[in-house]
Amino acid sequence: MSTDVSGIIECRPGARIWGEDDEDAIWHEAIDLFVLNTGNAYDALACLFGVRNSFGFRPLAEERGLPDDVSDCVRQQFQAGGGGEDNWGTTWISWAELTSVDWDETNLSGSLSRRAVAGEGTHWAPVWDVMRTLAGLHGAEHVRLVVWFY
């Protein structure tokens, strides 16, 4: 049985303008991963999220669940896809975290690097491009990717 990823990039534009504690500093849907055609290469999913990690990566963001302050749109899509009953491995990662990653770190065998399986030259490049652009507008800590698996 295959594993597929669903997810959405979110941003919080009001936080940079009014501050994180302002009532208008909420998270908004930016773009669905489906539109960016990330695919489901298991080595990348293992590297990024610990899913199907027979590759021996130290995952960047494993099983964090949905953020408490997730946007209404993301929560609705998650629930529409079966919520916690049909989805698993739910997690998120911010652009601020992604910019601090050692992309040359390898899996346990030393045969695959993060850069090789999920870096700029892979099918994840469009995701990183969108997140980078949004971070330039709203701040790295106000951009995140929320994902779940089915």
Side-chain angles (χ1 to χ4, degrees):
M1 184 172 194
S2 69
T3 297
D4 290 308
V5 61
S6 285
I8 296 176
I9 297 171
E10 295 184 304
C11 63
R12 190 163 57 158
R16 193 173 210 181
I17 299 167
W18 301 295
E20 292 183 18
D21 295 329
D22 189 271
E23 65 184 22
D24 292 323
I26 61 173
W27 290 91
H28 296 272
E29 173 193 20
I31 191 167
D32 194 302
L33 283 184
F34 175 76
V35 177
L36 299 173
N37 194 28
T38 58
N40 66 342
Y42 293 155
D43 52 1
L45 299 181
C47 167
L48 297 170
F49 311 115
V51 170
R52 290 207 171 213
N53 197 1
S54 61
F55 298 91
F57 278 104
R58 185 178 56 85
L60 298 179
E62 184 176 24
E63 298 266 353
R64 292 178 171 178
L66 279 182
D68 292 335
D69 57 355
V70 72
S71 67
D72 290 340
C73 179
V74 172
R75 188 174 307 282
Q76 289 167 1
Q77 274 200 258
F78 178 76
Q79 293 302 330
E85 292 182 27
D86 294 330
N87 300 315
W88 54 277
T90 305
T91 194
W92 61 273
I93 190 165
S94 72
W95 182 248
E97 291 174 288
L98 286 164
T99 60
S100 67
V101 168
D102 175 4
W103 288 97
D104 294 319
E105 181 180 337
T106 63
N107 62 351
L108 291 176
S109 70
S111 61
L112 295 170
S113 71
R114 293 187 186 284
R115 185 178 316 283
V117 301
E120 292 292 336
T122 70
H123 59 283
W124 280 87
V127 176
W128 310 148
D129 290 343
V130 169
M131 291 182 78
R132 182 183 306 103
T133 299
L134 291 170
L137 295 168
H138 308 299
E141 66 279 7
H142 303 298
V143 176
R144 68 184 174 201
L145 171 62
V146 181
V147 298
W148 56 92
F149 301 87
Y150 60 96

